[in-house]
Amino acid sequence: GFLTCLAGDMYVNDDTGEEIECPDPRAGLYVVDRSGNDVKVAIPAECMAIQLGECVQIITGGAVKATPHCVRGAAPADASVKVARVSHPVFIDTPPSFPLTIPSGLTREDVIAGAVSDKA
């Protein structure tokens, strides 16, 4: 995609629907920084984060790099409590017919050179 807007996570008791604090400090969004390290991202409750996707990397010829990321689910200490993570992503994309092309004079290798990470 092009951009993803993310609000902070919300955790709920899956049985009652009641909002709870995150039961696992390791749960949440992680990004890969420019040194290849996994970094946990904490989005404050009244804020949004913007993630740049691979389409931006392609149309800028690699001048802007996509942000590799993943989400780790919560593993509560009390296994009897079922926890649901509620996220609120908003994906900003173009229609499927949008011509996603590399800028003239550049190659695929130019676009992927210097990518933030090659983690699979």
Side-chain angles (χ1 to χ4, degrees), residues 80-92:
S80 69
V81 177
K82 296 178 188 170
V83 175
R85 174 183 167 268
V86 180
S87 62
H88 310 282
V90 176
F91 301 102
I92 300 171

Side-chain angles (χ1 to χ4, degrees), residues 12 17 20 22 24 30 32 34 75 80 105:
V12 297
I20 60 173
C22 177
D24 182 351
Y30 287 79
V32 178
R34 299 210 183 276
S80 69

Side-chain angles (χ1 to χ4, degrees), residues 2-120:
F2 279 86
L3 300 172
T4 304
C5 303
L6 296 164
D9 290 336
M10 178 176 31
Y11 294 86
V12 297
N13 179 311
D14 199 39
D15 290 327
T16 66
E18 175 186 5
E19 186 173 355
I20 60 173
E21 291 294 318
C22 177
D24 182 351
R26 298 173 301 163
L29 174 67
Y30 287 79
V31 298
V32 178
D33 71 14
R34 299 210 183 276
S35 299
N37 301 306
D38 295 327
V39 178
K40 186 172 187 291
V41 176
I43 304 170
E46 297 180 11
C47 296
M48 292 191 83
I50 307 296
Q51 183 265 333
L52 300 175
E54 290 179 343
C55 292
V56 174
Q57 184 168 333
I58 292 168
I59 66 170
T60 65
V64 175
K65 305 297 182 204
T67 309
H69 62 286
C70 68
V71 174
R72 181 180 186 152
D78 181 354
S80 69
V81 177
K82 296 178 188 170
V83 175
R85 174 183 167 268
V86 180
S87 62
H88 310 282
V90 176
F91 301 102
I92 300 171
D93 270 314
T94 60
S97 61
F98 180 81
L100 189 60
T101 58
I102 296 171
S104 179
L106 296 177
T107 66
R108 180 180 186 279
E109 288 73 27
D110 294 328
V111 172
I112 61 175
V116 174
S117 173
D118 59 3
K119 289 186 175 186

